[in-house]
Structure formats: structure tokens, C-alpha cells
Amino acid sequence: MVLSKVRASAHLVSKVVALSVGLIWLAPAFANQIIVIQPVIAGATGVATPDIARDLLFTSAIYGQDLIDIQFLPTESSTSLSSNLVENDTGVFPYVTSPLYAAAPFVTVFYVATIDSNASNRGASTCYGSYCAAWVANSAANDTFAHELAHILTGFLALWDPNPSDPSHSTDPTNLLASGDIRNVPATVAAITASGSVFDRIAPIQEAAMLDSQYAQSEVPEPDSVILLASGLFLLVSFRRAKTAAR
């Protein structure tokens, strides 16, 4: 009697292990992709006034439509970096060579007061060689960071209805990669997630490029979580079978 119970327990454990291994093997196929952001505030304290909570909220909603999760790392700051970005190689160099710059697969966003000393410039994104980053100014709109991030993820090609004179931007005002002068900017997160939304859409061809980007990482469940799920599923099935047999 005792031996049979031991054998039954061992059989149960082997089933759970086998199911867990199967789920772990299949997990990447069902995992979301995650983009990890390193925010850095540049310049003297109080000059750049970022709204990082807003950027996380709106960027998560925009990319969530394509099952891409956004995660912000703890914010860093540097008083040695200028609070005004000058958009040329000389101006970009100090930022991407800063010790606070996080290389791929992370995306670094520098929060500055202004870009090219122009208060109407909301954001920028560029690469110095293989070092790419985004900049967000005090005048940024709700979707500015999401827009600049999209440039990096798509390799600075709009891909969807590209503007012949500016292939990095789309001519579709409902698209996330439309330029700031024509893009529909959402006032609320609900405007993005609503059915039939005309704010910050991501076209399938853009989504494919984003998911293929070096910055997109698979968000695979932890093995402990998978084993717990497998155990629960197996016990549930066993309980149902036992209940059926008792009838």
C-alpha cells in the first residue's frame, strides 16, 4: 500500500516536471517583447523638467497595442551634460559616450530643457555610429518619447506611407511615425486604446521591424512561475478525472 502511494507520488512529480519543461520550451513563442529604457536627466538640477511618469504611461499604451511592454529603469542624472542638445555629431557625442549611456539592448533617453535652443523642438533621436539615443525636451507632447523611440526601433525608416522627402516620417497623421506637425497627438491614454483610435497607430510592417530590432527582448516567464502553473494545471486535471471516476 505504502509502495503504491510512493509510486503514485513519483508518477505525479514526473508528470509535473515533464509539463513544466514543455511550458518552458514553449514560453518564448507566447512571450511579449519588452523594451527597457534608461532615463537620464541632463544639465543642472531643475533646468530639464521631465514628466517621466507621463512618458511611461503613454508609451506603454501605444506599444501595448502590439504586445510590446515598456520598462523604465531608475532615473539617472548628470550635471556634466548640457541641458540643450545641439543636433550634430559634436553635440551628440558627449551624451552617447557618457558613463550613464546604456548601450543596446537598452534604449537611453536624455531629458533636456531644449533642443537646438528652440523651445518648439519637442524631441530628437539619432545615432553616433552604433550608439543611438533619444532626447526629450521640456516642450514634449504626450507621445513625443514614443515617437522618438519608434525611430530607433525601425532604423529611422517610417516604412508605412513614408514621406518621399523625409523617409523617416509617415504621411499618415494617425501613425506614430508621422511628423509632429501633422501627427494626431492624444490627450489621454483612453484615446489611444479606444476602438477605432486615430492616435499613434503602429502599422504591421512597422511592428515587424520593431520586434526584429536589437532593442526588443523576449519577456519569458521565470521557471519557478512556469513550474507553479504546470503543477496547478496537472492537479486540476487530476482532480477532475478523480471526480469523474467517482460518479
Side-chain angles (χ1 to χ4, degrees):
M1 180 70 176
V2 173
L3 183 59
S4 64
K5 286 185 176 180
V6 170
R7 286 175 176 171
S9 297
H11 181 68
L12 175 62
V13 170
S14 66
K15 288 284 189 181
V16 170
V17 170
L19 183 56
S20 300
V21 170
L23 287 173
I24 291 172
W25 183 76
L26 288 172
F30 298 98
N32 284 10
Q33 296 295 100
I34 183 169
I35 308 294
V36 181
I37 311 299
Q38 176 60 70
V40 178
I41 301 175
T45 302
V47 178
T49 55
D51 191 340
I52 297 174
R54 172 205 62 191
D55 287 349
L56 175 58
L57 184 66
F58 277 84
T59 305
S60 295
I62 292 166
Y63 285 89
Q65 63 184 294
D66 292 304
L67 299 180
I68 299 174
D69 293 335
I70 302 296
Q71 176 187 333
F72 273 58
L73 297 175
T75 304
E76 301 282 359
S77 60
S78 174
T79 56
S80 64
L81 293 172
S82 174
S83 59
N84 173 65
L85 168 69
V86 178
E87 281 194 271
N88 56 38
D89 283 352
T90 302
V92 167
F93 182 77
Y95 295 90
V96 297
T97 56
S98 163
L100 298 179
Y101 175 83
F106 303 103
V107 177
T108 303
V109 53
F110 293 98
Y111 286 95
V112 294
T114 54
I115 297 171
D116 289 330
S117 300
N118 187 337
S120 65
N121 289 342
R122 298 173 176 174
S125 50
T126 189
C127 297
Y128 182 91
S130 60
Y131 301 103
C132 300
W135 286 260
V136 174
N138 288 349
S139 58
N142 288 334
D143 62 352
T144 296
F145 173 63
H147 171 84
E148 300 302 340
L149 177 60
H151 279 311
I152 294 173
L153 298 180
T154 58
F156 299 91
L157 293 173
L159 302 173
W160 174 260
D161 289 347
N163 186 330
S165 61
D166 179 10
S168 67
H169 286 108
S170 173
T171 58
D172 177 0
T174 70
N175 190 262
L176 176 59
L177 277 172
S179 60
D181 56 342
I182 67 166
R183 189 173 69 253
N184 296 342
V185 176
T188 64
V189 167
I192 299 166
T193 58
S195 177
S197 173
V198 294
F199 297 96
D200 292 325
R201 299 296 89 195
I202 297 175
I205 190 172
Q206 295 170 325
E207 176 188 353
M210 291 175 179
L211 294 176
D212 193 46
S213 165
Q214 64 177 326
Y215 299 98
Q217 306 174 59
S218 293
E219 192 174 27
V220 181
E222 293 294 326
D224 287 350
S225 300
V226 175
I227 291 172
L228 183 62
L229 173 62
S231 302
L233 288 173
F234 187 81
L235 291 173
L236 178 61
V237 171
S238 299
F239 174 77
R240 287 184 176 275
R241 284 178 177 173
K243 191 174 181 181
T244 301
R247 286 178 177 174

